[in-house]
Amino acid sequence: MADVATYQLLDGKRCGDALRVEIAAGAAEVKAVRGREPHLAAVLIGDDGASRTYVESKVKACESVGFRSTLITRPASTSEAELLALVGQLNNDAELDGFIVQLPLPEHIDEEKVTLAIDPAKDVDGFHPENIGRMVLGLPCYLPATPAGIMELLKHYGVPTAGKHAVVVGRSHIVGTPMGILLSRNTDPGNCTVTIAHSRTRDLASITRQADILVAAVGRPEMITGDMVKEGAVVVDVGIHRIPDASKKSGFRLVGDVKFDEVAPKCSWIAPVPGGVGPMTITSLLLNTLKAAQR
Ligand code: GUN
């Protein structure tokens, strides 16, 4: 008898589309009350192809929910002082509810300095220390888009989390660290017992095999293999990588940090790449921008 897959997909496109209907209604209400749409600006420095694709999809998503959006592009040669001046200008622009500066920035620009320069009230990425501190304390804030999107995805599909052991692989400021905090908070979803694993973790597979919920945010293509996952686990793949593939018209295919074909048959739920976390990240950015416009 052929194997029958028993896993269910955490479909970020479907979940995101459902949320975007509500966001569009919120945008219409803002327009009626304030006389203008919510307005997001995105700053892109340099000409990295992947960053441009991400920023363009953020701008396109704004149009789909009735937001105004502005894409500001500057050459890779832009100085740190010039970018800080632009950030100052955007902080003071009354026609703008929120903005993001797409990362990574060229090496000669200090990302921390730029993040600190953004007005926390307009920091719809949720990267400013004030927003991160407020998140840790459970105070109203802008949540970082990727972990917030994953929480929305778990909520939408009613995945039980309370009391579960969540293993987050990766400790970046924008995904792994906030993911651990959100999963451990006294909320629903939440109330997980969290382990953060990283490049110095010994015997990673023995840790990931203990996970009821495994969030892979490593940044290495297909690193999480079938033998690293417990039967019945919930797996959320945050990675997105272009792998050369001559059989595709584009010349590449997209894979995540998880080796899907090996891992999915062991899962109860899995968020695939593409179509899992990616659309939810953008939806979270829209939610934060709507929140900014409602303030
Ligand atoms: N680079 C990768 N992810 C993100 C994100 O969520 N926001 C910004 N500004 N840059 C990124």
Side-chain angles (χ1 to χ4, degrees):
M1 201 172 86
D3 276 351
V4 179
T6 54
Y7 65 87
Q8 300 188 74
L9 283 182
L10 294 167
D11 184 335
K13 171 86 175 59
R14 270 180 84 167
C15 175
D17 284 349
L19 280 167
R20 286 180 202 195
V21 171
E22 291 173 34
I23 296 170
E29 208 175 288
V30 166
K31 173 108 198 266
V33 173
R34 297 187 56 185
R36 70 161 177 80
E37 303 89 346
H39 182 193
L40 172 77
V43 179
L44 176 65
I45 308 290
D47 43 23
D48 178 72
S51 286
R52 176 168 283 276
T53 307
Y54 297 145
V55 170
E56 283 173 352
S57 28
K58 290 172 184 179
V59 168
K60 217 153 85 193
C62 284
E63 286 163 23
S64 77
V65 292
F67 288 6
R68 188 178 154 203
S69 63
T70 304
L71 176 57
I72 303 167
T73 55
R74 294 283 186 273
S77 58
T78 303
S79 71
E80 185 179 279
E82 284 168 330
L83 179 54
L84 290 171
L86 174 61
V87 166
Q89 211 179 310
L90 298 174
N91 283 341
N92 292 315
D93 184 344
E95 294 296 305
L96 194 59
D97 298 299
F99 66 98
I100 64 164
V101 178
Q102 187 67 21
L103 305 178
L105 290 169
E107 273 192 6
H108 63 275
I109 302 180
D110 182 345
E111 283 183 2
E112 199 175 288
K113 236 189 215 174
V114 174
T115 303
L116 281 166
I118 297 173
D119 177 353
K122 288 194 172 180
D123 167 41
V124 286
D125 257 333
F127 293 171
H128 190 283
E130 184 172 318
N131 280 312
I132 294 177
R134 294 181 71 91
M135 170 187 68
V136 172
L137 298 173
L139 297 170
C141 63
Y142 299 119
L143 293 175
T146 300
I150 292 169
M151 296 302 276
E152 288 288 346
L153 199 54
L154 296 173
K155 182 161 93 182
H156 180 85
Y157 284 100
V159 175
T161 59
K164 305 288 185 187
H165 184 191
V167 175
V168 178
V169 190
R171 57 178 159 188
S172 73
H173 291 167
I174 68 178
V175 184
T177 297
M179 188 77 258
I181 291 165
L182 293 182
L183 285 168
S184 66
R185 289 205 305 195
N186 185 5
T187 52
D188 183 23
N191 284 309
C192 291
T193 304
V194 173
T195 300
I196 305 265
H198 45 73
S199 54
R200 301 290 288 270
T201 295
R202 260 185 285 148
D203 194 4
L204 177 65
S206 75
I207 306 286
T208 57
R209 273 196 294 269
Q210 295 172 37
D212 302 310
I213 299 170
L214 178 62
V215 180
V218 203
R220 278 174 54 192
E222 300 185 315
M223 191 209 148
I224 305 293
T225 47
D227 58 311
M228 297 172 77
V229 177
K230 177 164 83 173
E231 206 61 55
V234 177
V235 173
V236 178
D237 190 351
V238 181
I240 185 150
H241 313 275
R242 289 180 180 190
I243 300 286
D245 185 340
S247 73
K248 301 276 181 204
K249 213 168 82 184
S250 60
F252 66 85
R253 69 193 161 93
L254 294 174
V255 300
D257 289 350
V258 173
K259 202 160 190 164
F260 186 89
D261 292 347
E262 278 183 29
V263 171
K266 301 183 87 172
C267 294
S268 53
W269 295 91
I270 183 165
V273 174
V277 173
M280 292 307 299
T281 297
I282 296 184
T283 303
S284 300
L285 177 66
L286 298 175
L287 272 170
N288 279 348
T289 305
L290 178 61
K291 199 190 267 188
Q294 287 167 335
R295 278 163 76 127

